[in-house]
Amino acid sequence: MKNILLKSASNDYYRACKQRTRWVRDELIYLDELAKYDIKLISEWEIAFAWMEDFLGNEVNINDEEKIKAGKKLYKEMMDKNIYIREHCQKPFIMRGSYHILANKLKVGWHIDYKEILKHLLEEKKDRND
């Protein structure tokens, strides 16, 4: 099952990148409309992420398994939303792939500690390359 979800996420990401690029190239959409859409997606994510934070609380003793479970729940919740860029453009891969684009830019994340985890991983990578 895990491989199916990973493949689906990758496909959504690449299809959304391709679609968004084609829209801009063919002048079917303005860059500011894409930016506004991304802000809309981030805004919805912020609300859901805040609920996850509230659910987990500020307990020091929350184990990583609980954090991962909450992150998976948040991810599924966001992937199940219907946030369309335009009324007549309702392909689900655009929203899902756009969330993956935002995650790659570190604008959104699913694990409660995603910023700290990614910061640590990037520092490790930098140390290996130095």
Side-chain angles (χ1 to χ4, degrees), residues 21-56:
T21 300
R22 189 178 71 80
W23 284 337
V24 172
R25 183 188 65 233
D26 295 346
E27 298 180 0
L28 300 172
I29 198 168
Y30 295 110
L31 286 175
D32 70 327
E33 188 174 358
L34 278 177
K36 287 176 185 175
Y37 180 61
D38 288 346
I39 290 168
K40 186 177 177 181
L41 293 176
I42 292 168
S43 179
E44 287 295 317
W45 168 85
E46 286 174 335
I47 294 166
F49 192 84
W51 276 109
M52 180 181 69
E53 285 179 313
D54 186 64
F55 174 75
L56 290 174

Coordinates of all heavy atoms in Angstrom, one line a residue, residues 21-56:
T21 N 3.0 24.7 -15.3 CA 4.0 25.3 -16.3 C 3.3 25.6 -17.6 O 3.6 26.6 -18.2 CB 5.2 24.3 -16.5 OG1 5.8 24.1 -15.2 CG2 6.2 24.9 -17.5
R22 N 2.5 24.6 -18.1 CA 1.8 24.8 -19.4 C 0.9 26.0 -19.3 O 0.8 26.8 -20.2 CB 1.0 23.6 -19.7 CG 0.5 23.6 -21.2 CD -0.2 22.3 -21.5 NE -1.5 22.2 -20.9 CZ -2.6 22.8 -21.2 NH1 -2.7 23.6 -22.2 NH2 -3.8 22.6 -20.5
W23 N 0.2 26.2 -18.2 CA -0.7 27.3 -18.1 C 0.0 28.6 -18.2 O -0.4 29.5 -18.9 CB -1.4 27.3 -16.7 CG -2.5 26.3 -16.5 CD1 -3.3 25.7 -17.5 CD2 -3.0 25.8 -15.3 NE1 -4.2 24.9 -17.0 CE2 -4.1 24.9 -15.6 CE3 -2.7 26.0 -14.0 CZ2 -4.8 24.2 -14.6 CZ3 -3.4 25.3 -13.0 CH2 -4.4 24.4 -13.3
V24 N 1.1 28.7 -17.5 CA 1.9 30.0 -17.6 C 2.5 30.2 -19.0 O 2.4 31.2 -19.6 CB 3.0 30.0 -16.5 CG1 4.0 31.1 -16.7 CG2 2.4 30.0 -15.1
R25 N 3.1 29.1 -19.6 CA 3.7 29.2 -20.9 C 2.7 29.6 -21.9 O 3.0 30.4 -22.8 CB 4.4 27.8 -21.2 CG 5.1 27.8 -22.6 CD 5.5 26.5 -23.0 NE 4.4 25.6 -23.3 CZ 4.1 24.4 -22.7 NH1 5.0 23.9 -21.9 NH2 3.0 23.8 -23.0
D26 N 1.5 29.0 -21.9 CA 0.5 29.3 -22.9 C -0.4 30.5 -22.5 O -1.4 30.8 -23.2 CB -0.4 28.1 -23.0 CG 0.3 26.9 -23.6 OD1 1.4 27.0 -24.2 OD2 -0.2 25.7 -23.6
E27 N 0.0 31.2 -21.5 CA -0.6 32.4 -21.0 C -2.1 32.2 -20.7 O -3.0 33.0 -21.0 CB -0.4 33.6 -22.0 CG 1.0 34.0 -22.1 CD 1.2 35.1 -23.1 OE1 0.3 35.6 -23.7 OE2 2.4 35.5 -23.3
L28 N -2.4 31.0 -20.1 CA -3.8 30.7 -19.7 C -4.1 31.1 -18.3 O -5.2 31.1 -17.8 CB -4.0 29.2 -19.9 CG -3.8 28.7 -21.3 CD1 -3.9 27.1 -21.3 CD2 -4.9 29.3 -22.2
I29 N -3.0 31.5 -17.6 CA -3.1 31.9 -16.2 C -2.0 32.9 -15.9 O -0.9 32.8 -16.5 CB -3.1 30.6 -15.2 CG1 -3.6 31.0 -13.9 CG2 -1.7 30.1 -15.2 CD1 -3.8 29.7 -13.0
Y30 N -2.3 33.8 -15.0 CA -1.2 34.7 -14.6 C -0.5 34.2 -13.4 O -1.1 33.4 -12.5 CB -1.9 36.1 -14.2 CG -2.5 36.8 -15.4 CD1 -3.9 36.9 -15.5 CD2 -1.7 37.2 -16.5 CE1 -4.4 37.5 -16.7 CE2 -2.2 37.9 -17.6 CZ -3.6 38.0 -17.7 OH -4.2 38.6 -18.7
L31 N 0.8 34.5 -13.2 CA 1.6 34.1 -12.1 C 0.9 34.5 -10.8 O 1.0 33.7 -9.8 CB 3.0 34.6 -12.2 CG 3.9 34.0 -13.2 CD1 5.2 34.7 -13.3 CD2 4.1 32.5 -12.9
D32 N 0.3 35.7 -10.7 CA -0.3 36.1 -9.5 C -1.5 35.2 -9.1 O -1.8 35.0 -7.9 CB -0.7 37.6 -9.5 CG -1.8 37.9 -10.4 OD1 -2.0 37.2 -11.4 OD2 -2.6 38.8 -10.1
E33 N -2.2 34.6 -10.1 CA -3.3 33.7 -9.8 C -2.7 32.4 -9.2 O -3.3 31.9 -8.2 CB -4.1 33.4 -11.0 CG -5.3 32.6 -10.7 CD -6.2 32.4 -11.9 OE1 -5.9 32.9 -13.0 OE2 -7.3 31.7 -11.8
L34 N -1.6 31.9 -9.7 CA -1.0 30.7 -9.1 C -0.5 31.1 -7.7 O -0.7 30.3 -6.8 CB 0.2 30.3 -9.9 CG -0.1 29.4 -11.1 CD1 1.2 29.1 -11.9 CD2 -0.8 28.1 -10.7
A35 N 0.1 32.2 -7.5 CA 0.5 32.7 -6.1 C -0.7 32.7 -5.2 O -0.6 32.3 -4.0 CB 1.3 34.0 -6.2
K36 N -1.8 33.3 -5.6 CA -3.0 33.4 -4.8 C -3.5 32.0 -4.4 O -4.0 31.8 -3.3 CB -4.1 34.2 -5.5 CG -3.7 35.7 -5.5 CD -4.8 36.5 -6.3 CE -4.4 37.9 -6.4 NZ -5.3 38.7 -7.2
Y37 N -3.5 31.1 -5.4 CA -3.9 29.7 -5.2 C -3.0 29.1 -4.1 O -3.5 28.4 -3.2 CB -3.9 28.9 -6.5 CG -4.3 27.5 -6.3 CD1 -5.6 27.2 -5.9 CD2 -3.5 26.4 -6.6 CE1 -6.1 25.9 -5.7 CE2 -3.9 25.1 -6.5 CZ -5.2 24.9 -6.1 OH -5.6 23.6 -5.9
D38 N -1.7 29.3 -4.2 CA -0.8 28.7 -3.2 C -1.1 29.3 -1.8 O -1.1 28.5 -0.9 CB 0.7 28.9 -3.6 CG 1.1 28.1 -4.8 OD1 0.4 27.1 -5.2 OD2 2.2 28.4 -5.4
I39 N -1.3 30.5 -1.8 CA -1.7 31.2 -0.5 C -3.0 30.6 0.1 O -3.1 30.3 1.3 CB -1.8 32.7 -0.6 CG1 -0.4 33.3 -0.9 CG2 -2.5 33.3 0.6 CD1 -0.4 34.8 -1.4
K40 N -3.9 30.3 -0.8 CA -5.2 29.7 -0.4 C -4.9 28.3 0.2 O -5.5 27.9 1.3 CB -6.1 29.6 -1.6 CG -7.5 29.1 -1.3 CD -8.2 29.2 -2.7 CE -9.6 28.7 -2.6 NZ -10.3 28.8 -3.9
L41 N -4.1 27.5 -0.5 CA -3.7 26.2 0.0 C -3.0 26.2 1.3 O -3.3 25.5 2.2 CB -2.9 25.5 -1.0 CG -3.5 25.1 -2.4 CD1 -2.5 24.5 -3.3 CD2 -4.7 24.2 -2.2
I42 N -2.1 27.2 1.4 CA -1.3 27.3 2.7 C -2.2 27.7 3.8 O -2.1 27.2 4.9 CB -0.1 28.3 2.5 CG1 0.9 27.8 1.6 CG2 0.5 28.7 3.9 CD1 2.0 28.8 1.1
S43 N -3.2 28.6 3.5 CA -4.1 29.0 4.6 C -4.9 27.9 5.1 O -5.1 27.7 6.3 CB -5.0 30.1 4.0 OG -5.9 30.5 4.9
E44 N -5.4 27.0 4.2 CA -6.2 25.8 4.6 C -5.3 24.9 5.4 O -5.7 24.3 6.4 CB -6.8 25.1 3.4 CG -7.9 25.8 2.8 CD -9.1 25.9 3.7 OE1 -9.5 24.9 4.3 OE2 -9.7 27.0 3.7
W45 N -4.0 24.7 5.0 CA -3.1 23.8 5.7 C -2.8 24.4 7.1 O -2.8 23.6 8.0 CB -1.8 23.7 4.9 CG -0.7 23.1 5.7 CD1 -0.5 21.7 5.8 CD2 0.3 23.7 6.4 NE1 0.6 21.5 6.6 CE2 1.1 22.7 7.0 CE3 0.6 25.0 6.7 CZ2 2.2 23.0 7.8 CZ3 1.7 25.4 7.5 CH2 2.5 24.3 8.0
E46 N -2.6 25.7 7.2 CA -2.3 26.3 8.5 C -3.4 26.0 9.5 O -3.1 25.7 10.7 CB -2.1 27.8 8.4 CG -0.8 28.2 7.7 CD -0.7 29.7 7.5 OE1 -1.8 30.4 7.3 OE2 0.4 30.2 7.4
I47 N -4.7 26.1 9.1 CA -5.8 25.8 10.0 C -5.7 24.3 10.5 O -5.8 24.0 11.7 CB -7.1 26.1 9.3 CG1 -7.2 27.6 9.1 CG2 -8.3 25.6 10.2 CD1 -8.3 28.0 8.2
A48 N -5.6 23.4 9.5 CA -5.5 22.0 9.8 C -4.3 21.7 10.7 O -4.4 20.9 11.6 CB -5.5 21.2 8.5
F49 N -3.1 22.3 10.4 CA -1.9 22.1 11.1 C -2.1 22.6 12.6 O -1.6 21.9 13.5 CB -0.7 22.8 10.5 CG 0.6 22.3 11.0 CD1 1.2 21.2 10.5 CD2 1.3 23.1 12.0 CE1 2.5 20.8 11.0 CE2 2.5 22.7 12.5 CZ 3.1 21.6 12.0
A50 N -2.7 23.7 12.7 CA -3.0 24.2 14.1 C -3.9 23.3 14.9 O -3.7 23.1 16.1 CB -3.6 25.6 14.0
W51 N -4.9 22.7 14.2 CA -5.7 21.7 14.9 C -4.9 20.5 15.3 O -5.1 19.9 16.4 CB -6.9 21.2 14.0 CG -8.0 22.2 14.1 CD1 -8.5 23.0 13.1 CD2 -8.9 22.4 15.2 NE1 -9.6 23.7 13.6 CE2 -9.9 23.3 14.8 CE3 -9.0 21.8 16.5 CZ2 -10.9 23.8 15.7 CZ3 -10.0 22.2 17.3 CH2 -10.9 23.2 16.9
M52 N -3.9 20.0 14.5 CA -3.1 18.9 14.8 C -2.2 19.3 16.0 O -2.1 18.5 16.9 CB -2.2 18.5 13.6 CG -1.3 17.3 14.0 SD -0.2 16.8 12.6 CE 0.9 18.2 12.5
E53 N -1.6 20.5 16.0 CA -0.8 20.9 17.1 C -1.7 21.0 18.4 O -1.2 20.5 19.5 CB -0.3 22.4 16.9 CG 0.8 22.4 15.9 CD 1.3 23.8 15.6 OE1 0.5 24.7 15.4 OE2 2.5 24.0 15.7
D54 N -2.9 21.5 18.3 CA -3.8 21.5 19.5 C -4.1 20.1 20.0 O -4.1 19.8 21.2 CB -5.0 22.3 19.1 CG -5.9 22.5 20.3 OD1 -5.5 23.2 21.3 OD2 -7.0 21.9 20.4
F55 N -4.3 19.2 19.1 CA -4.6 17.8 19.4 C -3.4 17.2 20.1 O -3.6 16.5 21.1 CB -5.0 17.0 18.2 CG -5.2 15.5 18.4 CD1 -6.3 15.1 19.1 CD2 -4.2 14.7 18.0 CE1 -6.4 13.7 19.3 CE2 -4.3 13.3 18.3 CZ -5.5 12.8 18.9
L56 N -2.2 17.4 19.6 CA -1.1 16.8 20.2 C -0.7 17.5 21.5 O 0.0 16.9 22.4 CB 0.1 16.8 19.2 CG 0.0 15.8 18.1 CD1 1.1 16.0 17.1 CD2 -0.1 14.4 18.5

